[in-house]
Each structure stands twice: as structure tokens, then as C-alpha cells.
């Protein structure tokens, strides 16, 4: 659901002048392989941990697939590396309107780490650029839902414990302090009604989607 929402939003942003796409915490995201035509016209930067990227590149090679020429792998550890420096070294142009996605990442960062990340992005983004991400609401860690509890337990068991969740007003203040204005905020109910619609699935409890616009 979050990938569908993100890519629909990206397509809309291109019509308003967006020319660069940065996938933060790309993991095994397959956008560059599924959208070769997009990559012919726009630069795409995949930023993620070096070990994750190495594994992904090995999988792509084994599958006999080609990485588009305009795609860039940017090795970065969000908890300690300087994202700004890493992206600039990879050819990112901060003067151009860009779209940043941060899917499945905010959960695992502490509030200071999220603040540092937003601050770094604010120095990289041109006026009108987009940051889209998913974030747990303030009730995540108190939830009695079985699949929420299972998610938290699995994350902890894997050594990547979830650390952060936010109520709307705290999140809005955090974003505003770094120059980001909330353009769209989707609750699980919104996601169910607007994205999933009639499909036989249920939006994940306590997970919200946020689309922001940067105003320098």
C-alpha cells in the first residue's frame, strides 16, 4: 500500500517539475527495475546501508537484470553517516526539485536521529520538493492488536527494535521546525478507503502515511 501511494504521488510530482527521486532506506525496492522509462528521464538515488546494497546488487546480477544508467546506489548508515555528503558525492543536485521517500525507516530511528535526518534533508531540498514517509501513531506500542504485537516482537528479535511513534501535532511541529509542511496525512482508515478500497485486505493498524512539501 505504501509503495503504491508513494509511486502515485511521485508521478504527480513529476508533472510539477520534480526531476530527481531519492529512495531513503531503499532495501529491496524494485522501482528502478520496474520503471526503466522513468530512469531514462530522471535520476534515481537509492540510499541504504552498504551491506544491504551489496546484497541487493548481487541479487540483481544473479537475476540477469540491468541497473539503469541514471540509477545511483548511495551507501549510508542513517544512524551515523552524513546523508548530505553521501548524496552530493553521488551526483545529487540540491538546486533541482526532488522527491524523497522514506518508507519503513522512521520506526527504527530515535527522535534525535529523525531530527538530524530532517535537518540534513532541509539542507538538500529545493523549494517545493517532497518528502513522503510512513510513521506509527502514538498508540503503536500500546496496541492490543495481535499483528501489531507480532510486528514489534519480530523487530526486537531481529535486533532492530522499533523506537519511535508520534501523535499528529508532535509530528507536525517536528516537521515544521525543519521547513516541512504536511500536504497529506493518511490514517489507517484513510488508507483503507482511498488506497485499498475494495481489495480483500486491511490497512495496518496505527500506521499512517505522510506527504510533506519543503518550504525554504
Amino acid at each position: 500500500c505504501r509503495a503504491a501511494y508513494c509511486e502515485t504521488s511521485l508521478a504527480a510530482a513529476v508533472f510539477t517539475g520534480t526531476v530527481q527521486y531519492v529512495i531513503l532506506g531503499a532495501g529491496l525496492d524494485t522501482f528502478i527495475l520496474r520503471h526503466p522509462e522513468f530512469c531514462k528521464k530522471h535520476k534515481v538515488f537509492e540510499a541504504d546501508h552498504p551491506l544491504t546494497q551489496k546484497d541487493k546488487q548481487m541479487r540483481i546480477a544473479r537475476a540477469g537484470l540491468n541497473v539503469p544508467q541514471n540509477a545511483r546506489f548511495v551507501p549510508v548508515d542513517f544512524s551515523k553517516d552524513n546523508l548530505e555528503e553521501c548524496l552530493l558525492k553521488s551526483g545529487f543536485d540540491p538546486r533541482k526539485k526532488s522527491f524523497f521517500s522514506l518508507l519503513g525507516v522512521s520506526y527504527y530511528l530515535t527522535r534525535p536521529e529523525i531530527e538530524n535526518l530532517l535537518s540534513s534533508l532541509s539542507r538538500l531540498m529545493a523549494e517545493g520538493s517532497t518528502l513522503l514517509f510512513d510513521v506509527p501513531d502514538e498508540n503503536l506500542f500500546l496496541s492490543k492488536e495481535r499483528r501489531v504485537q507480532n510486528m514489534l516482537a519480530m523487530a526486537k528479535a531481529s535486533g532492530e527494535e522499533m523506537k519511535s511513534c508520534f501523535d499528529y501535532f508532535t509530528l507536525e511541529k517536528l516537521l515544521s521546525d525543519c521547513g516541512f509542511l504536511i500536504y497529506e496525512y493518511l490514517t489507517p482508515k484513510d488508507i483503507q478507503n482511498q488506497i485499498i478500497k475494495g481489495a480483500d485486505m486491511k490497512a495496518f493498524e496505527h500506521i499512517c502515511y505522510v506527504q510533506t512539501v519543503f518550504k525554504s
Side-chain angles (χ1 to χ4, degrees), residues 40 55 57 65 69 105 114 153 161 163 188 190 196:
K40 287 181 181 179
D55 176 69
Q57 289 172 293
L65 301 172
Q69 187 174 357
V105 176
I114 292 174
E161 186 172 2
K163 302 172 183 177
D190 297 325
I196 297 176

Side-chain angles (χ1 to χ4, degrees), residues 196-209:
I196 297 176
K197 299 179 181 179
D200 186 21
M201 62 177 67
K202 183 182 178 184
F204 208 93
E205 295 82 5
H206 307 295
I207 304 302
C208 304
Y209 300 165

